[in-house]
C-alpha cells in the first residue's frame, strides 16, 4: 500500500509536469462539477470534553497552522457514493507521506440529513460533491484542513488493471455474494487459490465485504477487513506497475482522475516529492470500531485516538509501526 500511494502520487504529479503547457486544459477538465451545497457537520462522537480551550485540539490546530503540509482526500467513487476514502498528508520539507483510510460506514451527522443511511460518511459525496467531502473530512479530523481532492471511479480502476495485464492475488476461501437489487445486479464468485484478476474481476474483489447469509463464504467483517484486502491488492498491483508498465498505467490513470489541484501547484509538489523514500510513507486505518445504532451498522471512530494520530503526524512522530503494510 505504501508503494502504491508513493508511486501513484509521484507518477501522477510528474506526468502533469511533462504536460505543463496545457495549464488551461488541466484546470478546466480535471475538476469535478463542484456543488455549492456545502455541509454543516454536527459533532456527535461522545468526546466533546476533548475540545476544551486548553485541550489537545489547540495543540493539533497549532501544529497544523505552522505546518507546510499539503493535505488531500482520495475518493474511489461508485455512483453517487464514495466507496473508498483516504486522507493523505504530504510534508514537502521532510519528504514524508502519511495516510488514513476512512471506512465508508463511518458515522458522521450532517445538518439536514437525518436518515440513517445519510449518517454514513460515504453519502456525503452524492449530496455535496468532492468539494463538500473536503469539508466533511476536515470536520472529522478535528478541523485539520483538506486542501485538495482526487477522485477515481471503479471504471478507472478496471481500466488501469487491464492496462498492466491483471493483478495477482491469493484468495484463501470461497468468495460468494449476490445482490440482485443492485444496479446493475452484483454477482461475485471466486474459488480459493491464486488468481490473476482482470479489470472487471478486480472491481468485484475490491467491492466484496461479506458473503450471502448461510453460504459459509469468506467474511471480511465489514469495511476494515475490506480496506485491508484493498491494501494487499494495491501492493500486488504495484509490483507489476513498477517498471516498463508504469507509463501506460499512469497515462490510463490520468484519463480517469479528477482533481481541484491547480497544475501550477501539482508541478511544485511533484518537484518536492522527488526523493521520497519508502521509509517515510505511513498508512493507517481510522481508529475505531463497528457497532450497531438503531439497527444500522456504523463505524464509530475513536476521536481521542484519531487526534493523537494526527498530532503524531504533524509533529513528525509517525512511524512505519502505525501503518498497515
Amino acid at each position: 500500500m505504501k508503494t502504491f500511494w508513493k508511486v501513484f502520487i509521484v507518477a501522477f504529479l510528474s506526468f502533469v509536469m511533462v504536460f505543463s503547457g496545457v495549464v488551461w486544459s488541466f484546470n478546466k477538465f480535471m475538476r469535478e462539477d463542484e456543488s455549492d451545497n456545502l455541509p454543516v457537520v454536527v459533532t456527535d462522537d461522545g468526546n466533546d470534553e476533548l475540545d476544551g480551550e486548553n485541550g489537545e485540539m489547540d495543540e493539533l490546530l497549532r501544529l497544523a497552522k505552522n505546518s507546510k503540509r499539503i493535505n488531500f482526500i482520495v475518493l474511489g467513487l461508485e455512483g453517487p457514493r464514495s466507496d473508498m476514502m483516504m486522507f493523505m498528508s504530504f510534508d514537502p520539507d521532510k519528504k514524508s507521506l502519511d495516510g488514513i483510510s476512512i471506512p465508508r460506514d463511518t458515522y458522521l451527522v450532517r445538518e439536514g440529513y437525518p436518515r440513517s443511511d445519510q449518517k454514513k460518511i460515504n453519502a456525503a459525496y452524492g449530496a455535496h460533491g468532492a468539494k463538500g467531502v473536503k469539508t466533511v473530512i476536515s470536520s472529522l479530523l478535528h478541523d485539520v484542513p483538506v486542501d485538495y481532492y482526487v477522485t477515481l471511479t471503479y471504471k478507472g480502476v478496471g481500466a488501469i488493471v487491464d492496462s498492466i495485464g491483471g493483478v495477482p492475488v491469493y484468495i484463501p476461501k470461497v468468495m460468494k455474494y449476490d445482490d440482485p437489487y443492485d444496479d446493475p445486479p452484483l454477482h461475485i464468485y471466486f474459488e480459493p487459490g491464486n488468481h490473476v484478476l482482470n479489470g472487471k474481476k478486480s472491481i468485484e474483489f475490491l467491492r466484496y465485504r461479506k458473503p450471502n447469509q448461510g453460504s459459509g463464504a469468506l467474511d471480511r467483517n465489514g469495511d476494515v477487513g475490506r480496506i485491508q484486502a484493498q491494501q494487499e491488492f494495491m501492493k500486488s498491483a504495484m509490483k507489476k506497475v513498477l517498471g516498463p508498465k508504469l507509463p501506460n498505467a499512469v497515462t490510463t490513470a490520468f484519463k480517469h482522475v479528477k482533481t481541484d489541484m491547480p497544475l501550477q501547484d501539482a508541478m511544485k509538489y511533484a518537484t518536492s516529492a522527488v526523493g521520497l523514500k519508502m521509509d517515510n510513507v505511513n498508512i493507517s486505518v481510522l481508529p475505531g470500531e463497528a457497532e450497531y445504532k438503531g439497527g444500522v451498522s456504523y463505524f464509530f471512530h475513536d476521536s481521542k485516538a484519531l487526534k493523537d494520530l494526527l498530532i503524531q503526524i504533524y509533529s513528525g512522530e509517525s512511524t512505519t509501526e502505525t501503518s498497515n503494510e
Side-chain angles (χ1 to χ4, degrees), residues 146-162:
V146 178
D147 303 300
Y148 305 110
Y149 63 74
V150 177
T151 69
L152 179 67
T153 64
Y154 269 130
K155 178 181 178 181
V157 172
I160 295 169
V161 169
D162 285 336

Side-chain angles (χ1 to χ4, degrees), residues 1 4-5 8 72-88 99-106 121-123 125 130 133 137 149-154 157 160 203 206-207 209 223 226-231 233-234 257 283-284:
M1 184 63 179
F4 171 79
W5 286 114
F8 177 83
F72 56 99
I73 185 73
V74 180
L75 302 173
L77 302 181
E78 180 188 14
R81 294 178 182 269
S82 52
D83 201 49
M84 184 278 289
M85 188 176 296
M86 181 175 288
F87 169 79
M88 304 297 295
I100 302 175
S101 293
I102 301 171
R104 68 178 190 172
D105 289 347
T106 298
I121 203 167
N122 70 328
Y125 176 80
V133 173
I137 296 301
Y149 63 74
V150 177
T151 69
L152 179 67
T153 64
Y154 269 130
V157 172
I160 295 169
I203 294 171
L206 293 170
R207 291 185 65 183
R209 299 173 65 192
D223 276 340
R226 192 176 66 144
I227 286 173
Q228 293 171 346
Q230 290 172 347
Q231 292 176 347
F233 177 88
M234 294 302 182
V257 165
I283 307 295
S284 304

